[in-house]
Amino acid sequence: MPRDTLTADRIVRAAIELLDSEGLDGLNMRSLAKRLGSAATAVYWHIKTKDDLVRLASDAIWHEVELPDLGTTDWRTAATAHASQMHAMLTRHPWLVQAFSSHLLHGPGQARYNDLSLAIYEKAGFAADGADRAAAAVFTFVLGSALGPAAQVSLNRRLGKNGADAEQLMADAMTHATETAMRFPHLRERLGATAAMEYAAAPDSTFEFGLQSLLDGFEARLAADGAGRGK
């Protein structure tokens, strides 16, 4: 494919597809060029390095997050939707969780998300420094909540390399983990009614429970601050 038929946008979209299927370790210019039906040298005309490519791909998927309208939505509903959208995006693209620890990520897509985060918590009643902390706390919680599913995708991919039976390897590991856990009373009580493969999996609605608990704490802090100022 001639160089002039490529665009940076096409390259980034192809990179996202490759990252979704192969993860960060599977992204290289040669594989990307093959997916595009081009030569690696043609890709380099548009995007100079793999780090640049990861940064551009990561910022592009931040635009998938739909932003609530603060003019028509109360702050808590907006905060719930905003965080849930981020969590869903990270679940669709689990490589981004890993990229946070290995790449310098920035761009208008992520800035757009962060800007609304601050607006949400300012609307809730936090002063600027409090809004900064609230937004950071929710961001960190969402990122941490997405770590488990992202790690599972990466682990399954690694276990399945070279024709290995990833499912059987996982089952064997869970059997050994369950045997160890049975030595501890609280784990033993729960594992009595839990299949081995479910051991260490987050219970249903864990993300929703944690997010609402965090927002409950914000409301309690704001109420206490308001009561204190009223004295």
Side-chain angles (χ1 to χ4, degrees), residues 3 8 11 29 40-53 55-56:
R3 173 169 63 89
I11 293 169
M29 293 303 196
T41 51
V43 175
Y44 282 114
W45 277 104
H46 297 273
I47 299 174
K48 300 302 182 185
T49 68
K50 179 180 174 180
D51 284 346
D52 286 340
L53 186 58
R55 176 177 56 79
L56 292 168

Side-chain angles (χ1 to χ4, degrees), residues 16-38:
I16 292 170
E17 293 174 1
L18 185 58
L19 285 161
D20 287 347
S21 62
E22 302 296 334
L24 278 177
D25 293 339
L27 177 66
N28 59 71
M29 293 303 196
R30 181 173 297 179
S31 297
L32 180 61
K34 183 177 180 181
R35 181 177 287 262
L36 288 163
S38 181

